[in-house]
């Protein structure tokens, strides 16, 4: 589900050449590991508050070929099960709707991420009714407008849906949308660079710890140049690869002392997106239809084109996670059999016209799954107070990136959350093995 795929591929080489740098800094106030949207917006928020500070982002592939950001669904929803994720969605929606204020670069055209405000439609079988009604109660308490719809009401709005096995629907009335993830990342990156943030195409190879602090980060560029960057703080925003970055800081590494022995429980899991043509397909659609029976999510892209994938709550997704695919991103390939066996049948069940669809393209990427509870990990490691996590978003990092960027900037500069309390997302719960689960996963 990615509306930016076409021109993203054409522009990769150009953007990579513009942002690679050979003059490596010897020091930086803040080093951010991971140049996707999470790391980039952290830099934007920090640079806004401490202009003139030295900040660099280490990204191993500035073409973003396998980056989760640009291979994501490009959508935002408020229909979550815990208050923190709901609040993050609301704040992020407001940021995206007013993106010109936040990411405008002087002298440039206004940023355009092709934002389309539309709600998600969740379709629930009998077993999901308690969850849907519980979510509704949470939303009402927080003042978030969502609708519980009977099958007859859904059918009136979307007559093309087959609903014989559906008991309830849930529709987001506000704070939900679709947008172009590539355009979003490029706007944010350009803003960060205009504020003095340096992007370095390199891989982190090590970190030196002095007592309870990270003193420096060692990198090797794609050209083979080596450098050691002294730093005041480090942010681990490496997404699906953030567990390996944590080990470089000694967290969860072999022989780690007791205060560092708990590893970061973030792993890369393969996900596939499929684009198909269906000229007789529906025109008036929600932003995304999330099917709790078939385990498939789909949306309309452009005239006659649709995108689909398996949802995390389904058996299909867990088959996908355990399918034995190599976790080396350079070897990740689309599983076309999975579409035929696991996705297409669900699409055809829900919409008759999809029986005649034609698969036209597909892509493969990674979710950064927090295997403890499918939720973000935001904040410092308790034993290394200048090493910060912003990772583990488990499929909702892109949509929560503005709120995440603000949150990590507050922790670094204020020592606490000041806008919204996200303390339940701290690494402390990982050490205590106390999950704080998000149940409404896609």
């Amino acid at each position: 589900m990615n509306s930016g795929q076409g021109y993203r591929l054409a522009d990769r080489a150009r953007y990579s050449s513009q942002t690679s740098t050979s003059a490596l800094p010897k020091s930086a106030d803040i080093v951010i590991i991971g140049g996707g949207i999470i790391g980039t917006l952290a830099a934007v928020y920090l640079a806004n508050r401490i202009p003139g500070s030295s900040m660099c982002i280490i990204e191993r592939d500035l073409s973003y070929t396998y980056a989760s950001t640009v291979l994501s669904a490009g959508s935002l929803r408020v229909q979550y099960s815990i208050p923190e994720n709901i609040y993050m969605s609301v704040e992020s929606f407001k940021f995206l709707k007013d993106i010109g204020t936040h990411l405008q670069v002087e002298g440039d055209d206004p940023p355009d991420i092709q934002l389309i405000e539309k709600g998600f439609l969740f379709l629930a079988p009998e077993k999901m009714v308690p969850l849907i009604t519980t979510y509704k109660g949470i939303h009402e308490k927080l003042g978030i407008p969502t609708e519980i719809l009977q099958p007859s009401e859904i059918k009136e709005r979307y007559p093309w849906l087959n609903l014989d096995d559906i008991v309830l629907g849930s529709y987001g009335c506000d704070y939900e949308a679709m947008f172009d993830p590539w355009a979003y990342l490029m706007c944010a990156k350009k803003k960060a660079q205009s504020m003095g943030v340096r992007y370095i195409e390199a891989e982190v190879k090590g970190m030196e710890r002095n007592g309870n602090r990270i003193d420096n980060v060692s990198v090797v560029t794609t050209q083979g140049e080596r450098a050691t960057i002294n730093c005041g703080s480090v942010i681990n925003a490496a997404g699906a690869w953030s567990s390996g970055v944590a080990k470089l800081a000694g967290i969860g590494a072999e022989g780690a002392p007791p205060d560092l022995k708990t590893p970061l429980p973030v792993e890369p899991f393969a996900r596939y997106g499929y684009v198909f043509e269906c000229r007789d397909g529906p025109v008036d659609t929600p932003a995304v239809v999330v099917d709790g029976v078939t385990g498939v999510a789909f949306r309309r892209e452009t005239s006659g084109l649709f995108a689909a994938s398996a949802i995390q709550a389904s058996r299909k997704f867990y088959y996908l996670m355990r399918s034995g695919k190599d976790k080396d991103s350079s070897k990740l390939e689309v599983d076309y059999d999975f579409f035929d066996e696991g996705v297409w049948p669900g699409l055809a069940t829900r919409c008759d016209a999809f029986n005649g669809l034609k698969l036209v393209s597909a892509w493969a990427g990674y979710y950064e799954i927090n295997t403890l509870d499918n939720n973000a990990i935001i904040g410092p490691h308790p034993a290394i107070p200048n090493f910060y996590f912003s990772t583990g978003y488990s499929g909702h990092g892109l949509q929560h990136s503005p709120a995440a960027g603000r949150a990590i900037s507050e922790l670094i500069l204020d020592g606490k959350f000041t806008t919204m309390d996200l303390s339940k997302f701290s690494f402390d719960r990982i050490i205590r093995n106390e999950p704080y689960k998000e149940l409404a996963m896609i």
Side-chain angles (χ1 to χ4, degrees), residues 24-28 31 56 58 200 215-219 227-231:
L24 299 178
K26 294 182 178 180
S27 64
V31 172
C56 64
I58 311 299
I200 301 170
D215 268 359
N216 59 63
V217 176
S218 299
V219 303
T228 298
I229 305 172
N230 296 318
C231 56

Side-chain angles (χ1 to χ4, degrees), residues 147-441:
E147 291 180 292
I148 297 294
L149 301 174
Q150 299 299 318
S152 59
E153 295 174 296
I154 302 172
K155 192 74 173 178
E156 185 176 351
R157 296 186 189 185
Y158 308 110
W160 49 271
L161 280 170
N162 297 324
L163 301 168
D164 291 343
D165 51 358
I166 298 301
V167 178
L168 278 181
S170 176
Y171 182 80
C173 303
D174 202 356
Y175 306 117
E176 298 193 333
M178 304 182 296
F179 57 93
D180 187 314
W182 173 255
Y184 177 35
L185 176 59
M186 290 301 104
C187 289
K189 182 178 178 181
K190 198 168 190 180
K191 179 65 173 180
Q193 290 175 308
S194 75
M195 303 169 81
V197 177
R198 298 186 63 182
Y199 281 76
I200 301 170
E201 191 166 45
E203 189 165 352
V204 176
K205 292 297 187 180
M207 298 184 207
E208 184 175 332
R209 203 170 69 247
N210 183 8
N212 68 344
R213 296 181 62 82
I214 301 295
D215 268 359
N216 59 63
V217 176
S218 299
V219 303
V220 178
T221 70
T222 52
Q223 292 79 31
E225 185 179 357
R226 296 178 178 272
T228 298
I229 305 172
N230 296 318
C231 56
S233 297
V234 178
I235 300 174
N236 182 356
W241 318 112
S242 54
S243 179
V245 170
K247 286 183 179 179
L248 294 176
I251 299 163
E254 185 176 353
D259 58 351
L260 295 176
K261 69 178 182 180
T262 302
L264 179 67
V266 176
E267 296 187 28
F269 284 117
R271 66 183 296 268
Y272 308 133
Y274 302 94
V275 176
F276 61 91
E277 182 181 52
C278 185
R279 293 298 172 184
D280 297 326
V283 175
D284 184 17
T285 66
V288 181
V289 176
V290 184
D291 193 333
V293 175
T294 67
V296 172
F298 63 91
R299 83 181 197 191
R300 185 174 184 269
E301 291 284 292
T302 59
S303 178
L305 292 179
F306 298 80
S309 62
I311 64 175
Q312 292 190 47
S314 71
R315 287 185 179 181
K316 296 179 180 64
F317 184 82
Y318 286 104
Y319 156 77
L320 181 62
M321 292 201 310
R322 298 183 174 93
S323 62
K325 296 296 178 183
D326 198 314
K327 291 180 181 179
D328 179 353
S329 64
S330 65
K331 300 178 182 178
L332 183 64
E333 296 178 354
V334 174
D335 187 340
Y336 289 96
D337 290 338
F338 183 72
F339 178 78
D340 292 336
E341 299 166 8
V343 177
W344 191 354
L347 293 169
T349 295
R350 200 56 60 210
C351 176
D352 292 337
F354 290 162
N355 279 288
L357 65 79
K358 177 184 176 182
L359 186 64
V360 296
S361 66
W363 71 94
Y366 283 109
Y367 274 125
E368 50 171 299
I369 297 293
N370 175 354
T371 58
L372 179 69
D373 58 17
N374 288 326
N375 259 324
I377 302 168
I378 304 175
H381 190 283
I384 312 176
N386 74 328
F387 185 85
Y388 294 83
F389 298 102
S390 187
T391 186
Y393 291 91
S394 303
H396 46 269
L398 177 77
Q399 59 187 289
H400 286 169
S401 52
R406 181 195 290 267
I408 205 73
S409 70
E410 290 173 350
L411 287 175
I412 291 175
L413 301 179
D414 304 319
K416 62 181 180 180
F417 297 113
T418 59
T419 301
M420 66 179 74
D421 184 4
L422 300 179
S423 56
K424 289 186 178 180
F425 287 164
S426 74
F427 193 83
D428 291 344
R429 81 183 192 279
I430 311 299
I431 295 173
R432 297 192 303 265
N433 194 29
E434 295 178 357
Y436 185 47
K437 286 189 176 293
E438 173 54 62
L439 302 176
M441 300 303 297

